[in-house]
Amino acid sequence: MASTACFVIVSKNDIPIYEAEVGSAPKKEDMSYHHQFILHAALDVVQDLAWTTNAMFLKSVDRFNDLVVSVYVTAGHTRFMLLHDSRSEDGIKSFFQEVHELYIKIFLNPLYLPGSRITSSHFDTKVRALARKYL
Amino acid sequence: MFRPIHNSDRIVEGSNRAPHCAKRSLLRLHLLGTSCPSANHSDLPFPTRSQRGEAGTPSAMEPGLSIESGSAIRVAVLPVGGTIPPPRLREYAALVARHARVDLASLRTYYSEHQKSPFAHQPWETGCLRLKFVLGGCVPSPWEDFQSSRKVLAVIGICHLPSSPDLDRVAADFVDAARTYPSALARRCFAFCPTDAQMAGKKRDDIIMFPPSDQQSLELHMVTMIQDLAASLLMEFEKWVLRAESTGTILKTPLDSQSSLGSEEVIKAKKRRLGRAQKIIGDYCLLAGSPVDANAHYTTAIELARLTGDVFWHAGALEGSVCALVVDRMGQSDPVLEDEVKYRYYTIIQLYRRATLQDNAQRVSPVSFELEAALKLARYLCRRELAKEVSDLLMGAADGAKALIDASDRLILYIEIARLFGTLGYKRKAAFFSRQVAQLYLQQDNAYAAMSAMQVLTMTTNAYHVQSRKTSKINHDSSKEPRASSSDSGKVHPQSIASLFESQWSTLQMVVLREILMSSIRAADPLSSWSAAARLLRSFYPLITPAGQSGLASSLANSADKLPTGTRCADPCLPFIRLHSFPLHPSQRDIVKRNPRKKEWWTGAGPSGPFIYTPFSKAGASSGTSKQEVSWIVGEPVQVMVELANPCSFDLVVESIYLSVHSGNFDAFPVSVSLPPNTSKLVLLSGIPTQVGPISIPGCIVHCFGVITEHLFKEVDCLLLGAAQGLVLSDPFRCCGSSKFKSVNFPSISVVPPLPLLVANVVGGDGSILLYEGEIRGVLITLTNAGTVPVEEANIALSGKNQDSVISIAHSTWKSALPIKPGGEVTFAVTLRAWHLSSADLEADGSRSPASSRRIAREGINPFLNIHYAGPAANPENGDISLPPGRRLVVPLNICVVQGMRLVRARLLSMEIPARFTEAHLRPVSGKDDISTGNDTERTNINLLKMDPYKGSWGLRLLELELFNPTDVVFDVDVAVHSDDINVDKRVISEGNAGDAACHKTRIDRDYSARVLIPLENFKLPVLDASFFVKESSSDEPLGSRAAAIAERNAKAELNASINNLISKIKVKWHSGRNSSGELNIKDAIQAALQASIMDILLPDPLTFSFKLAKNGIATNADSSKDSGNPSIHSSEGNVGPSTGNVLRCDDPISAHAMTHMVVQIRNNTKEIIRMNLSISCKDVAGDNCFDENSATVFWAGVLSDIHLEVPPLQEVVHPFSVYFLVPGDYSLQASSVIIDATDVLRARAKAETPDEPILCRGSPFHIRVVGTA
């Protein structure tokens, strides 16, 4: 189990619609926004990279110090971004794929306005369970 | 103190002395691209030498390096002498720095070849020398032997002579300053603005004076001086190279100095020396502008270094060779060249890395060279197409930051990375590294570093969407076109929608703003800290704890204390302001567009008819109304309602708020508001338009927390829209308990020239006009022209409910007053009649309290006076007459109808007491009454009959009206009965008060009731016709003919008409007080009262009887009926109870003991012949029958009973008889008859129950007074 990981779903409009600290490391307030800064900065790279490949899973696209950003881009250009220290790529890929299925379920909800914040606690629980499983 | 620095891209200040300044200005230029308002940024003049934080190892990294920077000659520019004012210093430095490139061709005049030049391939025609001016100088780098471009090769002193009068001191000062740069090959001291005395003095060699002159000649002078400097440098380079080639030099780097000088090392060093010398010679060739020569030397150096395993110098030589290559091919973009550069630089990076690994054990690491190489390559490649490669290089470089020991090195690395990412278009990456830079700055504890941190952070605000409105406004204009083009490429997201909402990455935004706030407080920049705190509070108040909010409020207040009063800030703080509504001022509401084609110009303006939409209305008009249009008038105050919200947990005091009008034709009036925590408030903002033209009101100017800001309605609307869609954190208005978001469109407002303004004033107070039901009163209305334009035309019409209550308007009065000049007024009268309260109103008014009566008045039941008026048409001389709009004044006639006198009930009374009226009775026997008209009454004037109701009357029918006065005032009541407009009969019988016959008044005190009696005998019809009963009779005939039906209908109508006629003749008028008068509505009540016995009142009896004296056989007119048409003698059948009728009297007294001849006249009032048995009776005062056969007190002659008569229709029959009275006294004669074979009509009239009932008719008693014989 890795120590730090931060998972963020960024909408098409570059707005974070879901955030979760899924690491097992003790949480520090300033670190959590530090993670977000790294993820935010990585969007620039993702923006270019997403158009160069057909794959949804872009692998690790950015890094800062020993933190790596892995990104998964859905067809609707929603980006799943995971900040982690080095760990198995397979696990991350599986994690992203499972989260994608959860996200599609959220998306199918007629009451969910695409691009707005995901507030479902069920989704949150599931994502955290997946993180425990794969990361 | 703070001044903008110009040309900061040319001047590069010493990295070691002042890292922040240099980096900041450069960073700004590169990160922000187009948006570089350098004038807005304050910059520091010259940081002191002690600026560098950590002493320790001198840093290796330099900012702004590129591949070509190996060819630049470093020149230190030092201020010498006395203190130079910063603006002068900037000016001089800019003057110097303008000449960063000196063409070789221009040096010819200053260049003299002393020896054969070692630079064989110098391109004299095309080449140039590059100068890099370092303002303030720099600390000598330990690595300057390794790269000659790091050496300070020349020193320029700048002196401002007015502040340093002593030239000798200046010279000494310069020598001192130059001494710290032993590597300098040339020295010049420039002195500006010499005084006359200094000019006049001896010309000195060590100080070059620039005589005071205009800018152009100064520049020319400077060019000459710089070219001279460059030429001498070139000659020095030649000398140096020749010497180095001949003698050789010992070149060391910090790497070498660290190694122990063992014998092996010394031998190794000797071997390497040649290669290193070649590299340095190559450096000087490059500096001298001869890349071909340099390349040759570098090639040799590379070979030698590779042979000797001098990895570090190998890399250095290779780097030099790339520089030579690039400088040689300057300006060409060649893919082959690019590949070559890329290839060689990757090699260089590899070599440096190897050197780093080799010397890992040492204290000094050359890792900075590896990073510099990576940065140089990245800068060279920095293009959009190679973004991936560049970002890989930069990320690799960023990873190297950990290896850097020196914080300044790390700072420079991050700055360079941020700049390059910015150039690449990676705004967020650049912002990220800028923030790293800022954090490094914040680790240093001084104000300059804090200021640098603040400015670097300010640059990141764009990427995090927390920028100040001041910068975003400028960006907005310039970025409009690029955005359009970039959206085509599909790379840039259309963030236009998202950028409206600031909730993206709120955590980051808050962190950035908080850091800006912190750094600006530390940097003592109150305006920046105010702006940051304002943005933080406004955008993120839901995420900040109450304590944090209060902290921000106090930091706002603290910042404001340090600011001068009246400071403006581009960023609004609290409160949130939205446009609530547009309450039209009463004087605004009435503007009516004039329809020039109609005389009644106001009619076309509004929708006519009952439909809201009419298909006939003009298309233009309907499209015009889709966007609300409002006209404001010059000089007349207007109001706008805005809603303020304070969603925070502290008390907010808005010192002043007023409308912000950019068009400049509006005077806004400030108001001050205090908002408790979590509240919203509606505030009415007002102002006066001052000029004709359109007005746009984008927002409000707010003076809050000591700073003036502009709050735009549009922004709040966007925020609320975002809140509605869940994109924004919170709706500030809803959390304050305000109503739901409702978008209010700001109408397009135009200011029109002054219009007349009429003000209506009801004379006697503007309150409700209190009227009793049915009251008629005149009201005076004064119209005053309060405007500045005369009223030329006007029209007054009625509208609203109860229009019929306005009886008349004195149109002629106001018409004659036109035109009404400004300040003029006209008074005209309006006559009102109060309507009658409905039963519902009466119930509501039951309490009779004034409040409830006022409530009735408010229910919109009042009529209005609609006054349309207009001023003169403008510009009549222009041919096309533009009609200014007219106006409408609505004068509500606030009529408050209160219940007046009330008709309790109306009923029909019949006088059943048989009264025997004689003259004596009619004389003032009743005492208390002054019956002055008694004599008139006796004179057979039956029209005015006064009675004592206690004594009753015979067969009289009276209508009794019971009136009740529930009000607080006294009413006088007149009852008038109009009889066929011939004469007015007034019969007032009220409680003991009978006044003049012409004007009988009944006074009814408050809470008293009174009864008014109206005799009804004057309304009888002349003929008893079958048609009145035709309905009943025709019911027996099922086969009623058509004609009968028509006749029946006619008869019915006639009957109804006569009933109505009767009712309308009765009028009850009242007066109260001095000027209240009215009429009581009693029609319904009378009708109801009469309904039951209408037949009895209206229909005559079938037979009327009258007695007459027949003297000497001639019938004299002694009887009571004045004319035959007056059916004053009644008869009625016996079987129906009450007999009504008048009492007849004989005028002339009849003497006893004399034969009196009389006739009885029987009139048939029907249209059929009547046969009957007549009998006549006489009674004395005791009521005994005088004609009794047994005890007769009166003798008679002729037949008195069982007289069989036949009366033809509408004819009279006379039956004579004679009586002889024995005893004087009062007698009464009465005739009665039994009708034989009565028709149905008669039976119906008699209301006979059975068909075989005898029908009896009886006349009224006829009084006879018998006097004794004289």
Side-chain angles (χ1 to χ4, degrees):
Chain A
M1 191 71 185
S3 57
T4 54
C6 177
F7 177 62
V8 168
I9 299 179
V10 179
S11 79
K12 197 170 70 176
N13 300 323
D14 287 354
I15 298 171
I17 56 175
Y18 176 77
E19 297 158 31
E21 287 283 331
V22 290
S24 59
K27 276 176 192 163
K28 283 183 284 178
E29 188 57 34
D30 54 337
M31 282 318 284
S32 94
Y33 68 72
H34 185 65
H35 291 160
Q36 289 207 15
F37 270 108
I38 298 172
L39 289 169
H40 179 256
L43 281 174
D44 272 330
V45 183
V46 177
Q47 180 183 306
D48 279 357
L49 207 59
W51 300 100
T52 59
T53 172
N54 284 328
M56 287 182 158
F57 182 46
L58 302 182
K59 302 182 180 172
S60 66
V61 297
D62 197 7
R63 63 182 192 277
F64 182 74
N65 294 342
D66 44 359
L67 294 168
V68 183
V69 180
S70 291
V71 176
Y72 183 93
V73 184
T74 70
H77 212 72
T78 303
R79 283 144 292 178
F80 302 161
M81 306 181 80
L82 185 70
L83 183 75
H84 55 94
D85 36 20
S86 57
R87 56 185 90 182
S88 79
E89 206 165 74
D90 289 343
I92 292 169
K93 187 174 183 180
S94 313
F95 171 73
F96 277 145
Q97 280 167 346
E98 301 249 345
V99 172
H100 192 191
E101 286 194 18
L102 289 176
Y103 174 70
I104 286 171
K105 285 179 188 165
I106 288 284
F107 209 79
L108 288 173
N109 184 347
L111 301 179
Y112 173 73
L113 176 72
S116 66
R117 196 163 272 273
I118 298 175
T119 50
S120 161
S121 61
H122 181 251
F123 181 80
D124 188 56
T125 320
K126 282 288 188 76
V127 166
R128 286 177 194 278
L130 285 175
R132 270 196 297 279
K133 186 175 167 190
Y134 290 110
L135 303 180
Chain B
M1 181 63 186
F2 300 141
R3 286 304 170 109
I5 185 162
H6 299 290
N7 295 321
S8 50
D9 49 341
R10 295 276 191 79
I11 278 237
V12 175
E13 290 136 14
S15 63
N16 294 343
R17 290 187 66 190
H20 0 277
C21 291
K23 262 131 277 172
R24 185 172 59 246
S25 52
L26 288 170
L27 197 68
R28 189 175 65 220
L29 286 164
H30 289 262
L31 277 179
L32 299 179
T34 54
S35 63
C36 178
S38 60
N40 292 334
H41 285 258
S42 58
D43 211 335
L44 276 176
F46 293 103
T48 54
R49 233 166 252 250
S50 62
Q51 277 255 296
R52 256 193 84 212
E54 310 85 61
T57 340
S59 77
M61 291 200 72
E62 290 186 2
L65 286 182
S66 63
I67 288 178
E68 301 89 2
S69 49
S71 65
I73 304 162
R74 186 166 295 183
V75 181
V77 180
L78 306 172
V80 293
T83 325
I84 307 176
R88 308 301 301 205
L89 181 59
R90 270 168 217 286
E91 193 183 303
Y92 302 147
L95 203 60
V96 172
R98 206 165 289 152
H99 310 286
R101 180 193 158 105
V102 183
D103 286 331
L104 282 175
S106 65
L107 299 184
R108 288 243 184 223
T109 45
Y110 309 98
Y111 174 75
S112 57
E113 194 171 21
H114 301 289
Q115 296 154 291
K116 189 183 181 325
S117 169
F119 310 129
H121 304 283
Q122 199 155 32
W124 277 102
E125 300 307 318
T126 55
C128 65
L129 294 187
R130 289 178 184 79
L131 301 178
K132 181 176 173 184
F133 298 99
V134 182
L135 189 59
C138 54
V139 174
S141 163
W143 301 95
E144 63 184 25
D145 273 354
F146 177 60
Q147 284 173 338
S148 306
S149 56
R150 288 176 189 259
K151 281 183 189 168
V152 174
L153 293 169
V155 177
I156 294 176
I158 291 179
C159 176
H160 184 59
L161 285 176
S163 61
S164 44
D166 186 358
L167 290 179
D168 289 332
R169 249 196 84 201
V170 171
D173 206 12
F174 176 63
V175 169
D176 275 351
R179 197 172 292 140
T180 51
Y181 301 98
S183 56
L185 301 174
R187 293 176 181 84
R188 298 283 187 280
C189 184
F190 295 156
F192 296 94
C193 301
T195 56
D196 287 344
Q198 286 163 334
M199 283 294 283
K202 180 169 69 84
K203 188 172 167 62
R204 303 175 62 117
D205 289 337
D206 50 355
I207 295 175
I208 300 161
M209 296 227 206
F210 284 72
S213 58
D214 60 338
Q215 186 72 16
Q216 207 173 357
S217 54
L218 203 63
E219 276 174 20
L220 195 67
H221 202 154
M222 182 58 78
V223 169
T224 318
M225 289 303 143
I226 296 289
Q227 283 172 349
D228 176 49
L229 176 73
S232 63
L233 274 174
L234 185 56
M235 288 186 284
E236 289 295 326
F237 290 160
E238 283 174 0
K239 261 189 249 170
W240 198 94
V241 168
L242 286 172
R243 195 172 67 239
E245 274 182 331
S246 59
T247 63
T249 49
I250 294 172
L251 299 160
K252 275 188 184 173
T253 60
L255 288 175
D256 301 312
S257 65
Q258 298 302 316
S259 55
S260 56
L261 286 170
S263 57
E264 210 176 310
E265 291 292 321
V266 174
I267 297 163
K268 212 176 175 184
K270 276 182 183 169
K271 280 190 200 166
R272 288 172 176 179
R273 188 187 296 161
L274 201 57
R276 294 184 179 187
Q278 285 297 317
K279 195 262 175 193
I280 293 302
I281 293 167
D283 280 354
Y284 275 100
C285 292
L286 208 51
L287 293 177
S290 174
V292 180
D293 287 318
N295 199 29
H297 288 287
Y298 281 136
T299 314
T300 320
I302 289 164
E303 285 303 311
L304 290 170
R306 195 164 55 204
L307 285 173
T308 54
D310 199 355
V311 182
F312 188 63
W313 284 80
H314 183 190
L318 203 53
E319 215 177 340
S321 74
V322 178
C323 178
L325 189 67
V326 171
V327 169
D328 196 28
R329 309 257 187 97
M330 186 68 93
Q332 305 170 25
S333 78
D334 187 354
V336 182
L337 173 70
E338 198 175 288
D339 283 347
E340 180 69 20
V341 169
K342 222 191 293 182
Y343 170 73
R344 285 202 207 175
Y345 251 95
Y346 281 123
T347 316
I348 291 163
I349 293 166
Q350 286 298 321
L351 287 171
Y352 276 132
R353 192 167 296 157
R354 240 164 71 200
T356 312
L357 291 173
Q358 257 181 13
D359 303 311
N360 213 13
Q362 295 173 9
R363 206 173 70 84
V364 178
S365 160
V367 69
S368 58
F369 286 92
E370 181 197 333
L371 299 180
E372 271 186 4
L375 291 177
K376 282 177 186 175
L377 179 60
R379 173 152 300 150
Y380 181 73
L381 297 175
C382 195
R383 263 173 291 143
R384 194 78 214 170
E385 305 87 74
L386 302 172
K388 174 120 180 62
E389 199 164 2
V390 175
S391 70
D392 280 347
L393 272 171
L394 292 174
M395 275 191 273
D399 282 343
K402 278 175 296 183
L404 288 171
I405 301 153
D406 190 41
S408 303
D409 281 351
R410 215 177 298 155
L411 188 66
I412 293 165
L413 176 71
Y414 282 149
I415 288 170
E416 290 299 307
I417 292 173
R419 284 174 63 178
L420 288 170
F421 270 128
T423 317
L424 206 57
Y426 282 8
K427 288 254 163 61
R428 286 166 281 202
K429 274 279 185 195
F432 176 78
F433 282 103
S434 302
R435 189 176 156 268
Q436 299 292 322
V437 170
Q439 287 197 316
L440 287 173
Y441 274 130
L442 284 175
Q443 283 168 9
Q444 305 176 26
D445 194 17
N446 63 61
Y448 291 133
M451 203 173 294
S452 304
M454 184 191 84
Q455 298 199 347
V456 170
L457 282 171
T458 306
M459 281 180 269
T460 68
T461 53
N462 242 337
Y464 293 116
H465 298 287
V466 285
Q467 66 269 41
S468 164
R469 207 201 278 165
K470 182 170 64 182
T471 54
S472 65
K473 232 182 248 169
I474 298 158
N475 283 353
H476 199 68
D477 300 335
S478 59
S479 65
K480 263 185 181 160
E481 291 80 12
R483 181 176 287 176
S485 59
S486 63
S487 62
D488 296 337
S489 70
K491 292 264 178 187
V492 180
H493 284 297
Q495 292 190 341
S496 51
I497 307 159
S499 65
L500 291 176
F501 310 117
E502 299 186 345
S503 76
Q504 12 182 346
W505 300 95
S506 49
T507 323
L508 307 191
Q509 291 170 328
M510 282 175 68
V511 168
V512 169
L513 282 176
R514 204 175 293 149
E515 282 172 354
I516 292 177
L517 177 60
M518 205 167 69
S519 58
S520 60
I521 289 173
R522 222 195 275 179
D525 185 347
L527 188 57
S528 297
S529 54
W530 198 96
S531 157
R535 275 179 276 168
L536 198 54
L537 197 54
R538 186 175 173 90
S539 307
F540 303 106
Y541 67 89
L543 302 178
I544 303 173
T545 57
Q549 292 175 355
S550 307
L552 283 173
S554 61
S555 68
L556 281 170
N558 289 342
S559 309
D561 286 343
K562 291 171 194 152
L563 287 168
T565 51
T567 306
R568 285 177 178 262
C569 182
D571 299 302
C573 187
L574 296 175
F576 290 91
I577 302 173
R578 72 173 170 192
L579 185 65
H580 180 269
S581 62
F582 225 78
L584 288 178
H585 199 268
S587 67
Q588 259 164 275
R589 201 177 291 136
D590 58 14
I591 296 175
V592 181
K593 211 172 168 198
R594 276 160 101 176
N595 189 346
R597 277 163 298 181
K598 286 191 187 172
K599 191 176 179 298
E600 296 177 325
W601 42 264
W602 55 89
T603 48
S608 56
F611 303 108
I612 294 167
Y613 169 76
T614 51
F616 308 110
S617 66
K618 279 183 290 180
S622 63
S623 70
T625 51
S626 65
K627 171 82 177 165
Q628 199 188 348
E629 282 183 37
V630 172
S631 295
W632 286 356
I633 298 157
V634 170
E636 292 187 14
V638 292
Q639 290 173 322
V640 175
M641 179 93 84
V642 296
E643 187 171 13
L644 309 183
N646 171 23
C648 291
S649 59
F650 50 83
D651 277 319
L652 184 68
V653 178
V654 179
E655 283 132 62
S656 71
I657 174 171
Y658 54 93
L659 293 173
S660 148
V661 176
H662 291 179
S663 43
N665 51 355
F666 189 79
D667 281 345
F669 302 143
V671 289
S672 93
V673 186
S674 166
L675 288 165
N678 290 313
T679 53
S680 62
K681 217 179 236 183
L682 288 176
V683 176
L684 208 56
L685 300 177
S686 54
I688 291 184
T690 53
Q691 274 172 33
V692 176
I695 278 189
S696 71
I697 301 181
C700 293
I701 304 279
V702 171
H703 188 202
C704 186
F705 288 116
V707 171
I708 299 167
T709 51
E710 183 175 21
H711 294 238
L712 299 179
F713 295 134
K714 200 173 56 188
E715 284 180 354
V716 176
D717 283 350
C718 287
L719 188 72
L720 297 176
L721 195 68
Q725 294 185 359
L727 291 167
V728 186
L729 299 166
S730 164
D731 181 342
F733 290 95
R734 199 183 298 174
C735 74
C736 289
S738 179
S739 59
K740 225 172 157 257
F741 170 56
K742 174 171 60 91
S743 180
V744 180
N745 283 330
F746 218 93
S748 62
I749 304 164
S750 58
V751 179
V752 298
L755 296 178
L757 176 62
L758 283 184
V759 178
N761 198 0
V762 178
V763 174
D766 286 332
S768 313
I769 305 160
L770 201 72
L771 294 180
Y772 293 104
E773 281 179 281
E775 180 173 341
I776 295 167
R777 192 191 291 181
V779 172
L780 289 178
I781 291 174
T782 304
L783 295 177
T784 312
N785 186 3
T788 54
V789 175
V791 177
E792 298 256 305
E793 50 182 307
N795 178 65
I796 298 182
L798 275 174
S799 69
K801 293 188 175 176
N802 288 315
Q803 289 188 20
D804 53 352
S805 62
V806 178
I807 298 172
S808 70
I809 300 170
H811 287 288
S812 59
T813 314
W814 61 261
K815 268 180 187 158
S816 62
L818 286 177
I820 305 172
K821 294 257 168 6
E825 64 176 39
V826 59
T827 304
F828 63 96
V830 173
T831 312
L832 300 176
R833 182 177 59 200
W835 58 89
H836 294 281
L837 295 173
S838 65
S839 57
D841 290 336
L842 285 173
E843 278 166 27
D845 201 25
S847 64
R848 284 172 52 198
S849 69
S852 64
S853 63
R854 210 163 291 146
R855 191 182 58 79
I856 292 169
R858 275 200 204 118
E859 275 171 14
I861 50 171
N862 290 325
F864 297 97
L865 284 185
N866 257 345
I867 306 176
H868 289 90
Y869 59 97
N875 304 330
E877 69 274 10
N878 283 8
D880 55 332
I881 297 168
S882 70
L883 283 175
R887 301 190 101 162
R888 181 180 60 222
L889 174 66
V890 177
V891 185
L893 297 168
N894 282 325
I895 302 173
C896 177
V897 178
V898 293
Q899 196 187 359
M901 217 168 34
R902 202 160 113 199
L903 179 72
V904 180
R905 60 176 174 175
R907 58 180 175 167
L908 212 56
L909 296 179
S910 55
M911 285 298 173
E912 297 177 25
I913 310 159
R916 287 179 289 184
F917 280 70
T918 59
E919 276 174 321
H921 280 107
L922 292 172
R923 291 202 185 276
V925 177
S926 43
K928 57 183 172 179
D929 301 331
D930 53 336
I931 310 176
S932 58
T933 56
N935 290 329
D936 300 336
T937 311
E938 279 181 42
R939 271 184 240 118
T940 71
N941 189 358
I942 205 158
N943 292 329
L944 273 178
L945 177 65
K946 298 190 180 177
M947 296 181 205
D948 187 350
Y950 295 111
K951 295 186 176 162
S953 86
W954 184 265
L956 184 64
R957 289 213 177 217
L958 296 168
L959 181 67
E960 183 201 62
L961 300 176
E962 185 175 346
L963 301 172
F964 178 60
N965 178 7
T967 64
D968 295 338
V969 293
V970 176
F971 278 92
D972 289 323
V973 181
D974 284 345
V975 177
V977 179
H978 302 258
S979 75
D980 295 335
D981 63 38
I982 300 165
N983 51 1
V984 179
D985 295 353
K986 293 195 177 176
R987 304 178 178 213
V988 178
I989 305 151
S990 60
E991 309 201 10
N993 183 6
D996 186 21
C999 181
H1000 298 282
K1001 280 188 181 170
T1002 307
R1003 166 163 293 214
I1004 308 178
D1005 281 329
R1006 44 179 293 197
D1007 284 340
Y1008 276 89
S1009 56
R1011 294 176 192 200
V1012 181
L1013 295 179
I1014 305 167
L1016 293 177
E1017 76 277 16
N1018 280 346
F1019 303 104
K1020 294 269 185 197
L1021 294 177
V1023 181
L1024 178 64
D1025 196 349
S1027 60
F1028 297 126
F1029 307 98
V1030 80
K1031 191 177 178 188
E1032 294 161 51
S1033 55
S1034 66
S1035 64
D1036 300 334
E1037 308 171 71
L1039 299 172
S1041 66
R1042 193 184 173 85
I1046 292 168
E1048 170 193 4
R1049 218 174 297 137
N1050 287 343
K1052 269 284 189 208
E1054 199 178 331
L1055 179 65
N1056 284 334
S1058 57
I1059 293 169
N1060 286 335
N1061 185 32
L1062 164 64
I1063 292 169
S1064 66
K1065 279 174 188 164
I1066 304 169
K1067 287 201 186 327
V1068 180
K1069 289 189 174 173
W1070 53 263
H1071 294 271
S1072 174
R1074 195 179 302 165
N1075 49 10
S1076 290
S1077 65
E1079 201 177 299
L1080 204 58
N1081 184 20
I1082 50 166
K1083 281 186 183 169
D1084 292 343
I1086 293 176
Q1087 191 144 25
L1090 295 183
Q1091 202 65 52
S1093 48
I1094 190 67
M1095 294 297 182
D1096 294 338
I1097 297 164
L1098 279 182
L1099 295 187
D1101 290 323
L1103 296 174
T1104 44
F1105 303 91
S1106 60
F1107 293 92
K1108 286 183 179 174
L1109 286 180
K1111 283 183 179 167
N1112 307 321
I1114 303 153
T1116 54
N1117 186 11
D1119 100 328
S1120 59
S1121 54
K1122 201 164 72 174
D1123 53 332
S1124 61
N1126 190 358
S1128 58
I1129 300 170
H1130 302 260
S1131 65
S1132 66
E1133 66 286 88
N1135 58 347
V1136 178
S1139 69
T1140 60
N1142 276 337
V1143 179
L1144 309 176
R1145 284 149 295 149
C1146 182
D1147 271 349
D1148 297 332
I1150 297 164
S1151 322
H1153 307 292
M1155 185 61 82
T1156 308
H1157 304 283
M1158 300 186 81
V1159 291
V1160 61
Q1161 256 180 347
I1162 302 122
R1163 182 183 158 81
N1164 181 3
N1165 288 324
T1166 67
K1167 291 180 176 173
E1168 283 150 31
I1169 194 164
I1170 293 179
R1171 285 178 289 120
M1172 59 180 172
N1173 277 325
L1174 175 75
S1175 53
I1176 297 162
S1177 64
C1178 179
K1179 287 181 179 173
D1180 58 13
V1181 279
D1184 296 333
N1185 191 359
C1186 303
F1187 293 154
D1188 192 8
E1189 299 194 12
N1190 299 324
S1191 55
T1193 50
V1194 177
F1195 300 138
W1196 70 90
V1199 190
L1200 285 181
S1201 60
D1202 269 348
I1203 313 152
H1204 186 81
L1205 282 174
E1206 264 186 28
V1207 190
L1210 302 178
Q1211 298 278 322
E1212 281 180 355
V1213 174
V1214 178
H1215 172 74
F1217 64 93
S1218 301
V1219 285
Y1220 182 89
F1221 294 100
L1222 298 175
V1223 184
D1226 284 340
Y1227 296 88
S1228 64
L1229 287 173
Q1230 193 170 31
S1232 61
S1233 57
V1234 175
I1235 297 170
I1236 303 159
D1237 295 338
T1239 60
D1240 287 340
V1241 175
L1242 292 176
R1243 285 185 186 282
R1245 176 71 184 87
K1247 293 177 185 158
E1249 283 160 8
T1250 53
D1252 50 353
E1253 214 175 344
I1255 302 297
L1256 180 76
C1257 269
R1258 194 167 55 190
S1260 300
F1262 183 77
H1263 270 246
I1264 295 170
R1265 184 158 218 219
V1266 181
V1267 297
T1269 46

